[in-house]
Amino acid sequence: MEHGVATAGDRLERGTDPLAHLKRAVEELKATRDAVILAHYYVAPEVQELADYVGDSFYLAKLANSLPAETIVLAGVAFMGESAKLLNPEKTVLLPEPAADCPMAHMVQRRTIEEARAAWGNDLAVVCYVNSTMEVKSWSDVCVTSSNAVKICSELPQRHLLFIPDRNLGRYVAEQLPEKHVILNKGFCPRHQAISLDELIDLKEEHPGALILAHPECTEEVLSEADFIGSTAGIISYAEASEAREFIIVTVRGVLHELERRCAGQGKRFYFTRTVPTCVNMDMITVESLVRCLDRGTGEVEVDLTGAARERARAALDRMLELAAR
Ligand code: 13P
Ligand code: SF4
């Protein structure tokens, strides 16, 4: 008998504690498949609750590389599943919703890389934000995430760095490393790009004592108001450790679940701009899609790169893991 979506749903209706029943159904499905569930902080709270591990992009990439399970279910957008598969070609990697893509992952053209390589030769490194397709990674020398971009770029021997695809994270890195010549590409995250400075200033006026914690995918003007700039994991850890009681969170709202969990009992308050930042792509991942993929093995990630390109993409990820560990 095929068990899973229907079975989990049936149990859900019959049970008195739907979450406990759902968790049990998911445990059974995971055991059948020898699967582990990894989720990004941006996915819906109920999906995070069903995951074995929840974290930022770097944590998930690093973790996927070290888990013994045969199947990795990545509750996140396509590039996260692709990174897990590139790093673990022998494993089955499943995406609950393969159509959940990150628009920024495609925002760079090969010509941009070729022109920069022609201009700067061996004194150029192509630095690729992990929010990128496998093909984009294969054009690059090293991957970075928002939590390690500054450290990794500072350790590269080349002076000229072409930073792709995100212009906002690239500009932030350039500001931190004046000794480097950072060449920016035009890509951006539509969700962070849309966060309005006016709404942020209004919010700060309403809560003058609140600290502003922002993700480096935000625009320059928004970041100029920030008290702390960091990855999703960085923002969460900062708020947890801070003595302050009020925080304006300038990133996608999904982080609120972990913020509230980690700061439980501390009486802290978190505010988002009036137009609450949400990621439509991350929101596509639902409990139903997670259970369906576990049950039926749907959404399997394939590496559609040829041998040499696949090796280059993998090498860019490996180099990130190696440099970040130093
Ligand atoms: P981090 O998880 O590195 O903070 O990145 C946020 C993001 O946009 C993931 O898509
Ligand atoms: Fe992509 Fe932005 Fe969504 Fe992250 S928040 S997955 S960068 S669209």
Side-chain angles (χ1 to χ4, degrees):
M1 185 190 83
E2 192 181 54
H3 58 302
V5 180
T7 313
D10 291 347
R11 284 178 186 159
L12 208 62
E13 279 165 29
R14 283 200 299 268
T16 47
D17 179 355
L19 185 60
H21 281 272
L22 186 57
K23 279 189 169 162
R24 221 168 298 135
V26 166
E27 285 306 321
E28 281 174 26
L29 291 168
K30 281 195 312 185
T32 311
R33 237 172 237 293
D34 186 18
V36 62
I37 302 174
L38 275 54
H40 190 270
Y41 287 131
Y42 286 164
V43 296
E46 60 275 18
V47 175
Q48 294 188 40
E49 283 294 325
L50 292 171
D52 298 290
Y53 302 94
V54 186
D56 72 351
S57 306
F58 180 58
Y59 173 78
L60 298 180
K62 209 169 50 163
L63 193 70
N65 217 17
S66 66
L67 294 170
E70 264 175 39
T71 301
I72 296 169
V73 177
L74 226 147
V77 289
F79 75 81
M80 297 177 173
E82 291 174 2
S83 295
K85 182 67 184 176
L86 275 167
L87 289 165
N88 299 278
E90 74 292 352
K91 292 196 179 178
T92 302
V93 177
L94 304 177
L95 283 164
E97 184 42 85
D101 199 0
C102 169
M104 179 165 62
H106 306 266
M107 289 187 192
V108 60
Q109 294 186 340
R110 186 168 195 163
R111 204 182 53 224
T112 304
I113 287 108
E114 287 168 353
E115 285 171 2
R117 290 208 191 275
W120 306 105
N122 289 339
D123 200 18
L124 175 97
V126 178
V127 179
C128 178
Y129 191 22
V130 76
N131 297 33
S132 50
T133 65
M134 286 193 236
E135 190 183 13
V136 170
K137 288 182 176 73
S138 78
W139 304 334
S140 309
D141 298 308
V142 61
C143 288
V144 296
T145 73
S146 55
S147 68
N148 59 34
V150 173
K151 172 182 160 58
I152 289 179
C153 287
S154 76
E155 294 195 9
L156 294 173
Q158 294 87 349
R159 194 175 92 75
H160 307 284
L161 308 179
L162 172 65
F163 197 99
I164 56 171
D166 187 12
R167 65 179 178 223
N168 288 315
L169 181 60
R171 190 202 55 251
Y172 174 69
V173 168
E175 284 163 11
Q176 307 306 305
L177 302 174
E179 71 277 19
K180 297 285 186 187
H181 170 223
V182 181
I183 305 140
L184 299 179
N185 173 64
K186 292 193 177 130
F188 57 91
C189 161
R191 320 297 160 218
H192 288 87
Q193 186 72 28
I195 296 174
S196 135
L197 178 64
D198 288 346
E199 286 191 10
L200 178 60
I201 289 171
D202 288 349
L203 193 57
K204 181 74 179 175
E205 276 171 15
E206 278 172 46
H207 307 284
L211 295 180
I212 297 178
L213 317 185
H215 196 281
E217 287 176 16
C218 293
T219 61
E220 185 170 19
E221 53 183 17
V222 163
L223 291 187
S224 70
E225 300 294 318
D227 297 292
F228 172 79
I229 298 169
S231 74
T232 50
I235 288 173
I236 292 163
S237 300
Y238 185 96
E240 185 183 16
S242 172
E243 308 254 295
R245 311 285 285 193
E246 293 187 300
F247 304 89
I248 293 172
I249 304 297
V250 199
T251 191
V252 169
R253 185 189 163 87
V255 297
L256 181 61
H257 185 62
E258 184 70 5
L259 279 167
E260 287 181 335
R261 197 184 72 75
R262 296 256 290 270
C263 300
Q266 294 185 12
K268 290 181 174 169
R269 306 197 61 143
F270 305 105
Y271 309 111
F272 290 83
T273 46
R274 197 166 49 244
T275 311
V276 177
T278 54
C279 175
V280 286
N281 313 86
M282 292 282 189
D283 287 348
M284 288 167 75
I285 299 139
T286 59
V287 169
E288 289 72 22
S289 64
L290 178 63
V291 174
R292 187 188 322 119
C293 122
L294 266 174
D295 184 33
R296 302 181 192 168
T298 51
E300 182 164 356
V301 178
E302 307 284 355
V303 176
D304 59 358
L305 293 175
T306 58
R310 177 196 302 225
E311 287 314 307
R312 286 196 301 272
R314 160 96 202 227
L317 279 168
D318 280 340
R319 193 147 183 234
M320 170 179 78
L321 295 174
E322 181 214 316
L323 289 173
R326 276 193 195 166

